[in-house]
Amino acid sequence: MSVIQEYIYKSRQIIDVVEKQEEQIKIAARWFSDSILAGRMVHVFGSGHSRIMVEEMWPRYGSFAGFNPIVELSLTFHNLVVGANGQRQAMFLENVSGLADRILRNFDINEIDTALVISSSGCNVVPIEMAEIFQKKGIKVVALVTKQHLEASTSKRTDGKKLSDFADLVLDTGAPVGDAMVYVPNLDTPVSPGSTIGGALLVNSIKAQVAEYLTLAGKPPKVLTAGVLVGTQKATELFEAAYDEHAHRIAKMYEKNGIQSYISKKND
């Protein structure tokens, strides 16, 4: 088996792991759709490369308003690698206690909201504290982790607690310990991670189920859609409507701090 075939084979195994979680995915989607139908939002957070899953949820083609993507650049800005804004600083900051609280002070959250917190290891301090704060506020938390990796890893928290300890529901990407899935001959360490595949499958499965629940409730979402499918004018209308809806929803999250979006004011 070539290394390419090995990666594809193990990716198919990840699909099987995700498929077995259909009932859990439906539960998460029900919680999220309830928040959206109530006019609130689903807060989506991930540090490090978990940012990929946050942006996969919203905004991109096939996505819709109702999700609040919390992407802190100090924790996720990887492309410089070294120097100012380098990876060493990001890896340090994602284990600084208290940073999650500073981030969430920007939002007026309540128990009607829900949250999706993503961390492959489930052991870094900021995502763990993010989930802990959400739970303390009565918010249901869905954790997206790599189960095998989480179980084999040691938490960076002094009390040893992991992200799964502050989750009402845990979803598993299906990737292996260490994430990388392919051993190249004569290379000691594995390459090519798998958690992104499992994570993308999970968030898009949730997204599809939420869309169905919203539509069944008589509130079909305004989906960001390519012009090649619906025509340029319709695509533009959908984008503007979806962005306006997001602005209106996010303004409610900022009200505690006296911040109000111009678009939200106009819509009111």
Side-chain angles (χ1 to χ4, degrees), residues 10-69:
K10 291 185 176 179
S11 296
R12 290 195 178 102
Q13 292 180 315
I14 284 177
I15 294 173
D16 293 339
V17 173
V18 172
E19 187 175 15
K20 291 175 182 178
Q21 299 174 80
E22 182 174 357
E23 290 308 311
Q24 294 97 311
I25 292 169
K26 286 182 177 178
I27 292 170
R30 174 58 68 190
W31 292 349
F32 294 170
S33 60
D34 285 346
S35 293
I36 295 171
L37 287 169
R40 299 292 298 184
M41 299 189 85
V42 182
H43 304 286
V44 188
F45 176 81
S47 63
H49 283 89
S50 294
R51 168 187 178 156
I52 297 170
M53 296 306 104
V54 177
E55 296 185 347
E56 184 71 15
M57 184 62 88
W58 164 263
R60 62 164 302 171
Y61 280 142
S63 301
F64 46 89
F67 300 93
N68 175 25

Side-chain angles (χ1 to χ4, degrees), residues 85-100:
N85 302 297
Q87 185 70 356
R88 291 186 179 94
Q89 298 93 300
M91 293 175 70
F92 174 83
L93 288 171
E94 68 180 353
N95 284 299
V96 173
S97 181
L99 182 55

Side-chain angles (χ1 to χ4, degrees), residues 45-47 50 75 94-95 100 117-119 121-134 141 162-163 166:
F45 176 81
S47 63
S50 294
L75 303 173
E94 68 180 353
N95 284 299
V117 180
I118 304 147
S119 172
S121 72
C123 289
N124 289 319
V125 170
V126 175
I128 296 172
E129 289 189 355
M130 189 72 67
E132 182 180 21
I133 294 167
F134 280 132
V141 175
K162 302 179 181 182
L163 176 56
F166 299 102

Side-chain angles (χ1 to χ4, degrees), residues 3 6 182-191:
V3 292
E6 183 179 359
V182 175
Y183 280 90
V184 174
N186 301 316
L187 180 62
D188 293 336
T189 48
V191 299

